[in-house]
Amino acid sequence: MTRFTFLDCQMDDLTMQETLNHIKKTIKCNLQIKHCVVNVAKLISMRNNNQLKNSVVNSDVINIDGIGLVLGARLLGYRVKERVTGIDLFEHLISYANDEKIPIYLLGAKKYTLEKVKKNLIIKHPNLNIVGSHHGYFNQDEDQSIVKEISLSGAKMLFVGMSSPKKEIFIDTWTDSLGVNLTMGVGGTFDIIAKETRRAPKYIQRIGLEWLFRLIQEPGRMWKRYLYTNSYYLLILFREYIISKLFK
């Protein structure tokens, strides 16, 4: 893998297929792999949250999920192959788990949302073996009991659908105790699978405006996040670009 540092954030220059091949090989060898994705919002959060930053850096695979990072890295001279979105990778891995009968565990979202996630996944993947699930609204003092439940479930893949930085810190803290081959944070993917949130159409994805589509769906919750993170990101990107030109 080719890992590089962009705006003080480490990430791996991998295609979707390369990522899938690496994860599948790890599972077949019965080894552990910790996966995460980074986007603009997470990159900015990492600058003010060392625990989140350490959790990301400790991951075995850090995919680039966000057209803003892809274009920004290319602007500074990095030859990024492609964007690898968490939800697309999740869907590929679910298909793989269905075909290979690999047991999975789902952690995150609200209880009723999680039930819809399981129902919709089974409809699409009839052979999918979901050996356990738990909602994502729990306190830190419940961590150990949930980790024990996951470990005893026999799951080989764990998908964590919680917000940042909770999911990254949970995965980083408990990976060695979970007994699974793959731990992967999937953020808001469960809401989309449950059809409580719509994903942007393909043409909007291709032009990199998924964030705008989400903003239109959830303006009250998202406008401050995008206003702050996108503005701050553009500011530090512009600064790094100017520095790179001055000292070229």
Side-chain angles (χ1 to χ4, degrees):
M1 291 191 298
T2 304
R3 178 163 292 191
F4 64 97
T5 302
F6 168 64
L7 299 182
D8 202 31
C9 176
Q10 293 189 32
M11 51 191 74
D12 297 315
D13 184 19
L14 294 170
T15 65
M16 176 66 76
Q17 193 57 55
E18 288 170 340
T19 302
L20 282 168
N21 291 344
H22 185 57
I23 292 174
K24 290 176 183 180
K25 182 178 179 180
T26 300
I27 293 173
K28 287 178 180 179
C29 293
N30 199 31
L31 300 173
Q32 285 187 333
I33 186 167
K34 184 164 50 175
H35 175 277
C36 78
V37 297
V38 288
N39 53 26
V40 168
K42 191 177 295 184
L43 180 145
I44 297 302
S45 295
M46 288 168 60
R47 299 175 77 86
N48 300 308
N49 188 326
N50 285 330
Q51 197 172 9
L52 172 61
K53 182 177 181 179
N54 290 335
S55 299
V56 172
V57 170
N58 289 337
S59 299
D60 300 297
V61 175
I62 309 171
N63 278 135
I64 306 167
D65 181 356
I67 194 65
L69 294 188
V70 172
L71 296 178
R74 287 174 178 170
L75 179 67
L76 295 187
Y78 298 98
R79 295 187 177 182
V80 178
K81 296 171 185 173
E82 65 181 43
R83 175 189 178 203
V84 179
T85 65
I87 185 170
D88 289 330
L89 179 60
F90 170 80
E91 291 178 341
H92 283 302
L93 289 171
I94 289 296
S95 293
Y96 175 62
N98 177 78
D99 295 342
E100 299 296 324
K101 297 180 174 55
I102 298 171
I104 71 167
Y105 192 104
L106 305 174
L107 175 64
K110 296 177 181 178
K111 189 173 182 179
Y112 66 85
T113 300
L114 196 56
E115 291 304 314
K116 288 195 283 186
V117 171
K118 291 190 288 185
K119 178 182 177 181
N120 290 342
L121 286 177
I122 292 298
I123 289 172
K124 189 174 181 180
H125 306 279
N127 295 321
L128 187 63
N129 184 15
I130 304 174
V131 293
S133 64
H134 195 286
H135 65 81
Y137 291 83
F138 55 89
N139 298 320
Q140 193 172 355
D141 56 9
E142 299 176 78
D143 280 8
Q144 285 188 310
S145 63
I146 293 171
V147 169
K148 184 177 180 180
E149 180 182 319
I150 295 169
S151 178
L152 293 175
S153 72
K156 296 300 181 184
M157 292 182 175
L158 169 64
F159 298 101
V160 184
M162 301 188 298
S163 59
S164 294
K166 185 176 180 180
K167 68 176 178 294
E168 288 86 3
I169 293 172
F170 178 87
I171 291 171
D172 188 47
T173 302
W174 297 107
T175 293
D176 293 337
S177 304
L178 290 165
V180 300
N181 296 119
L182 168 70
T183 51
M184 176 182 174
V186 295
T189 293
F190 289 171
D191 291 332
I192 295 174
I193 300 298
K195 298 183 180 179
E196 293 183 355
T197 303
R198 290 175 58 208
R199 192 180 182 193
K202 291 290 185 183
Y203 73 92
I204 292 181
Q205 295 176 40
R206 284 195 295 270
I207 61 177
L209 290 178
E210 280 184 279
W211 65 272
L212 181 59
F213 187 83
R214 188 175 178 189
L215 176 61
I216 292 170
Q217 288 190 83
E218 303 177 88
R221 189 169 76 89
M222 304 304 296
W223 78 268
K224 286 185 180 179
R225 168 181 162 179
Y226 285 130
L227 177 64
Y228 170 73
T229 57
N230 289 0
S231 299
Y232 188 24
Y233 172 69
L234 289 173
L235 178 64
I236 60 176
L237 179 62
F238 178 72
R239 184 188 64 192
E240 289 298 315
Y241 178 74
I242 295 300
I243 291 173
S244 70
K245 291 299 181 182
L246 288 175
F247 295 96
K248 188 172 180 181

